[in-house]
Every structure is written in structure tokens, then in C-alpha cells.
Coordinates of all heavy atoms in Angstrom, one line a residue:
A1 N -18.5 28.3 53.2 CA -19.1 27.1 52.7 C -18.5 26.7 51.3 O -18.1 27.5 50.5 CB -20.6 27.3 52.6
D2 N -18.4 25.4 51.1 CA -17.9 24.9 49.8 C -18.6 25.5 48.6 O -18.0 25.7 47.6 CB -17.9 23.4 49.8 CG -16.9 22.7 50.7 OD1 -15.9 23.4 51.1 OD2 -17.1 21.5 51.0
S3 N -19.9 25.7 48.8 CA -20.7 26.2 47.7 C -20.4 27.6 47.2 O -20.8 28.0 46.1 CB -22.2 26.0 48.0 OG -22.5 26.8 49.2
V4 N -19.7 28.4 48.1 CA -19.4 29.7 47.7 C -17.9 30.1 47.6 O -17.6 31.2 47.3 CB -20.1 30.7 48.7 CG1 -21.6 30.4 48.8 CG2 -19.4 30.6 50.1
K5 N -17.1 29.1 47.9 CA -15.6 29.3 47.9 C -15.2 29.8 46.5 O -15.6 29.3 45.5 CB -14.9 28.1 48.2 CG -14.9 27.7 49.7 CD -14.1 26.5 49.9 CE -14.1 26.1 51.4 NZ -13.4 24.9 51.7
G6 N -14.4 30.9 46.4 CA -14.0 31.4 45.2 C -14.9 32.4 44.6 O -14.5 33.1 43.6
R7 N -16.1 32.5 45.1 CA -17.1 33.5 44.6 C -17.5 34.6 45.6 O -17.7 35.7 45.2 CB -18.4 32.7 44.2 CG -18.2 31.7 43.1 CD -19.5 31.2 42.6 NE -20.3 30.5 43.6 CZ -21.5 30.8 44.0 NH1 -22.1 31.9 43.4 NH2 -22.2 30.2 44.9
F8 N -17.5 34.2 46.9 CA -17.9 35.1 47.9 C -16.7 35.5 48.8 O -15.8 34.7 49.0 CB -19.0 34.5 48.8 CG -20.3 34.3 48.2 CD1 -20.5 34.4 46.8 CD2 -21.4 34.0 49.0 CE1 -21.8 34.2 46.3 CE2 -22.7 33.7 48.5 CZ -22.9 33.9 47.1
T9 N -16.7 36.7 49.3 CA -15.7 37.2 50.2 C -16.3 37.9 51.3 O -17.0 38.9 51.1 CB -14.7 38.1 49.4 OG1 -14.1 37.4 48.3 CG2 -13.6 38.5 50.4
I10 N -16.0 37.5 52.5 CA -16.4 38.1 53.7 C -15.3 39.0 54.2 O -14.1 38.7 54.2 CB -16.9 37.1 54.8 CG1 -17.5 37.9 56.0 CG2 -15.7 36.3 55.3 CD1 -18.2 36.9 57.0
S11 N -15.6 40.2 54.7 CA -14.7 41.2 55.2 C -15.3 42.0 56.3 O -16.5 42.0 56.5 CB -14.1 42.0 54.1 OG -15.1 42.8 53.5
R12 N -14.5 42.8 57.0 CA -15.1 43.6 58.0 C -14.3 44.9 58.2 O -13.1 44.9 57.9 CB -15.2 42.9 59.4 CG -13.9 42.5 60.0 CD -14.2 41.6 61.2 NE -15.1 42.2 62.2 CZ -15.8 41.4 63.1 NH1 -15.6 40.1 63.2 NH2 -16.6 42.1 64.0
D13 N -15.0 45.9 58.6 CA -14.3 47.2 58.9 C -14.8 47.5 60.4 O -15.9 48.0 60.6 CB -14.8 48.3 58.0 CG -14.1 49.6 58.2 OD1 -13.5 49.8 59.3 OD2 -14.1 50.5 57.4
N14 N -13.9 47.2 61.3 CA -14.3 47.3 62.7 C -14.5 48.8 63.1 O -15.2 49.1 64.1 CB -13.3 46.6 63.6 CG -13.5 45.1 63.6 OD1 -14.5 44.6 63.2 ND2 -12.5 44.4 64.1
A15 N -13.8 49.7 62.4 CA -14.0 51.1 62.7 C -15.4 51.5 62.4 O -15.9 52.5 63.0 CB -13.0 51.9 62.0
K16 N -16.1 50.8 61.5 CA -17.4 51.2 61.1 C -18.4 50.2 61.7 O -19.6 50.3 61.5 CB -17.6 51.2 59.6 CG -16.8 52.2 58.9 CD -17.0 52.2 57.4 CE -16.2 53.3 56.7 NZ -16.4 53.2 55.3
N17 N -18.0 49.2 62.5 CA -18.9 48.2 63.1 C -19.7 47.5 62.0 O -20.8 47.2 62.1 CB -19.8 48.8 64.1 CG -19.3 48.7 65.5 OD1 -18.1 48.5 65.7 ND2 -20.2 48.8 66.5
T18 N -19.0 47.2 60.8 CA -19.7 46.7 59.7 C -19.0 45.5 59.1 O -17.8 45.5 59.0 CB -19.9 47.8 58.6 OG1 -20.6 48.9 59.1 CG2 -20.6 47.2 57.4
V19 N -19.8 44.5 58.7 CA -19.3 43.3 58.1 C -19.9 43.2 56.7 O -21.1 43.6 56.5 CB -19.6 42.0 58.8 CG1 -19.2 40.8 58.1 CG2 -19.0 42.1 60.2
Y20 N -19.1 42.8 55.7 CA -19.5 42.8 54.3 C -19.5 41.3 53.8 O -18.7 40.5 54.2 CB -18.7 43.6 53.4 CG -18.5 45.1 53.9 CD1 -17.5 45.5 54.7 CD2 -19.5 46.0 53.6 CE1 -17.4 46.8 55.2 CE2 -19.4 47.3 54.0 CZ -18.3 47.7 54.8 OH -18.3 49.0 55.3
L21 N -20.3 41.1 52.8 CA -20.3 39.9 52.0 C -20.3 40.3 50.5 O -21.4 40.6 50.0 CB -21.4 38.9 52.3 CG -21.4 37.6 51.6 CD1 -20.2 36.7 52.2 CD2 -22.7 36.8 51.8
Q22 N -19.2 40.2 49.9 CA -19.1 40.4 48.4 C -19.4 39.1 47.7 O -18.8 38.1 47.9 CB -17.7 40.9 48.0 CG -17.5 41.2 46.6 CD -18.4 42.3 46.1 OE1 -18.4 43.4 46.7 NE2 -19.1 42.1 45.0
M23 N -20.4 39.2 46.9 CA -20.9 38.0 46.2 C -20.8 38.2 44.7 O -21.4 39.1 44.1 CB -22.4 37.7 46.5 CG -22.7 37.6 48.0 SD -24.4 37.1 48.4 CE -25.2 38.6 47.8
N24 N -19.9 37.4 44.1 CA -19.7 37.4 42.7 C -20.1 36.1 42.0 O -20.3 35.1 42.7 CB -18.2 37.7 42.4 CG -17.7 38.9 43.0 OD1 -18.3 40.0 43.0 ND2 -16.4 38.9 43.4
S25 N -20.3 36.2 40.7 CA -20.7 35.0 39.9 C -21.9 34.4 40.5 O -22.0 33.1 40.6 CB -19.5 34.0 39.8 OG -18.4 34.6 39.2
L26 N -22.9 35.2 40.8 CA -24.1 34.7 41.5 C -24.9 33.8 40.5 O -25.0 34.0 39.3 CB -25.0 35.8 41.9 CG -24.5 36.6 43.2 CD1 -25.2 37.9 43.3 CD2 -24.8 35.7 44.4
Q27 N -25.5 32.7 41.1 CA -26.2 31.7 40.4 C -27.6 31.6 41.0 O -27.8 32.0 42.2 CB -25.5 30.4 40.4 CG -24.2 30.4 39.8 CD -24.2 30.8 38.4 OE1 -25.0 30.3 37.6 NE2 -23.3 31.6 37.9
P28 N -28.6 31.1 40.3 CA -30.0 31.0 40.8 C -30.0 30.3 42.2 O -30.8 30.6 43.0 CB -30.7 30.3 39.7 CG -30.0 30.7 38.5 CD -28.6 30.8 38.9
E29 N -29.1 29.3 42.4 CA -29.1 28.6 43.6 C -28.7 29.4 44.8 O -28.8 29.0 46.0 CB -28.3 27.3 43.5 CG -26.9 27.5 43.0 CD -26.8 27.3 41.5 OE1 -27.7 27.6 40.8 OE2 -25.7 26.8 41.1
D30 N -28.2 30.6 44.6 CA -27.8 31.5 45.6 C -29.0 32.3 46.2 O -28.9 33.0 47.1 CB -26.7 32.5 45.2 CG -25.4 31.8 44.8 OD1 -25.0 30.9 45.6 OD2 -24.8 32.1 43.8
T31 N -30.1 32.2 45.5 CA -31.3 32.9 45.9 C -31.7 32.4 47.3 O -31.9 31.3 47.6 CB -32.5 32.6 44.9 OG1 -32.1 33.2 43.6 CG2 -33.8 33.2 45.4
A32 N -31.9 33.4 48.2 CA -32.2 33.1 49.6 C -32.3 34.4 50.3 O -32.0 35.5 49.8 CB -31.1 32.2 50.2
V33 N -32.8 34.3 51.6 CA -32.7 35.4 52.5 C -31.4 35.2 53.2 O -31.1 34.2 53.8 CB -33.9 35.4 53.5 CG1 -33.7 36.5 54.5 CG2 -35.2 35.6 52.8
Y34 N -30.6 36.3 53.2 CA -29.3 36.3 53.8 C -29.3 36.9 55.2 O -29.8 38.1 55.3 CB -28.3 36.9 52.9 CG -27.8 36.1 51.8 CD1 -28.7 35.8 50.7 CD2 -26.6 35.5 51.7 CE1 -28.4 35.0 49.7 CE2 -26.2 34.7 50.7 CZ -27.1 34.4 49.7 OH -26.7 33.6 48.6
Y35 N -28.8 36.3 56.2 CA -28.8 36.7 57.6 C -27.4 37.0 58.1 O -26.5 36.1 57.9 CB -29.5 35.7 58.5 CG -31.0 35.5 58.2 CD1 -31.4 34.5 57.4 CD2 -31.9 36.3 58.8 CE1 -32.7 34.2 57.1 CE2 -33.3 36.1 58.5 CZ -33.6 35.1 57.7 OH -35.0 34.8 57.4
C36 N -27.2 38.1 58.7 CA -26.0 38.4 59.4 C -26.1 37.9 60.9 O -27.2 38.0 61.5 CB -25.7 39.9 59.4 SG -24.3 40.5 60.3
A37 N -25.1 37.4 61.5 CA -25.1 36.9 62.8 C -23.8 37.2 63.6 O -22.7 37.3 62.9 CB -25.3 35.4 62.8
A38 N -23.9 37.4 64.9 CA -22.8 37.7 65.7 C -22.7 36.7 66.8 O -23.7 36.2 67.4 CB -22.9 39.1 66.3
R39 N -21.4 36.3 67.2 CA -21.3 35.3 68.2 C -21.6 35.8 69.6 O -22.0 35.0 70.4 CB -19.8 34.7 68.2 CG -19.6 33.8 67.0 CD -18.3 32.9 67.2 NE -18.4 32.1 68.4 CZ -17.5 31.3 68.8 NH1 -16.3 31.2 68.1 NH2 -17.6 30.6 70.0
G40 N -21.3 37.0 69.9 CA -21.5 37.6 71.2 C -20.5 37.2 72.2 O -20.7 37.4 73.4
S41 N -19.3 36.8 71.8 CA -18.2 36.4 72.7 C -17.0 37.3 72.3 O -16.6 37.4 71.1 CB -17.9 35.0 72.6 OG -19.0 34.2 73.0
W42 N -16.3 37.8 73.3 CA -15.2 38.7 73.1 C -14.1 38.0 72.4 O -13.6 36.9 72.8 CB -14.7 39.1 74.5 CG -13.7 40.2 74.5 CD1 -12.3 40.1 74.6 CD2 -13.9 41.6 74.3 NE1 -11.7 41.3 74.6 CE2 -12.6 42.2 74.4 CE3 -15.0 42.4 74.2 CZ2 -12.5 43.6 74.3 CZ3 -14.9 43.8 74.1 CH2 -13.7 44.4 74.1
H43 N -13.6 38.6 71.3 CA -12.4 38.1 70.5 C -12.7 36.7 70.1 O -11.7 35.8 70.0 CB -11.1 38.2 71.3 CG -10.7 39.6 71.5 ND1 -9.4 40.0 71.9 CD2 -11.3 40.8 71.2 CE1 -9.3 41.3 72.0 NE2 -10.4 41.8 71.5
S44 N -13.9 36.3 69.6 CA -14.2 35.0 69.2 C -13.7 34.7 67.8 O -13.4 35.6 67.0 CB -15.7 34.8 69.3 OG -16.4 35.9 68.7
G45 N -13.7 33.4 67.5 CA -13.3 33.0 66.2 C -14.4 32.6 65.2 O -15.5 32.3 65.6
A46 N -14.0 32.6 63.9 CA -15.0 32.2 62.9 C -15.4 30.8 63.1 O -14.6 29.9 63.3 CB -14.4 32.4 61.5
T47 N -16.7 30.5 62.9 CA -17.2 29.2 63.0 C -18.4 29.0 62.1 O -19.2 29.9 61.8 CB -17.6 28.8 64.4 OG1 -18.1 27.5 64.5 CG2 -18.7 29.8 64.9
F48 N -18.6 27.8 61.6 CA -19.8 27.4 60.8 C -20.9 27.0 61.6 O -22.0 26.8 61.1 CB -19.4 26.3 59.8 CG -19.1 25.0 60.4 CD1 -20.0 24.1 60.8 CD2 -17.7 24.7 60.7 CE1 -19.7 22.9 61.4 CE2 -17.4 23.5 61.3 CZ -18.4 22.6 61.7

């Protein structure tokens, strides 16, 4: 999202079945409940 570009980094370690969200330069407007989601489709692509 434009609001987090340059501050947040998403990455994954498939060997661990884990996805990460590194959040830097956090601001009060980042306050929220953060949810992880999966597409459920084989070899699917990133989408908003």
C-alpha cells in the first residue's frame, strides 16, 4: 500500500511456512489489528 511503502517489508520463509512483516518508522496512524491472509491457490500471485 502507498501508505507503507519504504517503511514496511514483507518477506517469507517457505521452509518454515512463515510470512513476516517488518514495520519500521511506525506512526500512530499505523495503529490497527493486523491480519495475515492466504489466497489458497497453488502458486498464486500477490494481490491487493
Side-chain angles (χ1 to χ4, degrees):
D2 288 342
S3 59
V4 306
K5 286 181 180 178
R7 299 190 298 122
F8 291 10
T9 302
I10 188 171
S11 61
R12 68 191 302 162
D13 184 344
N14 283 345
K16 297 180 179 179
N17 266 19
T18 301
V19 178
Y20 305 96
L21 184 68
Q22 178 66 47
M23 305 185 295
N24 299 325
S25 301
L26 284 163
Q27 300 299 314
E29 53 264 38
D30 296 315
T31 295
V33 176
Y34 283 69
Y35 297 92
C36 174
R39 285 197 61 179
S41 299
W42 189 262
H43 289 190
S44 48
T47 180
F48 64 88

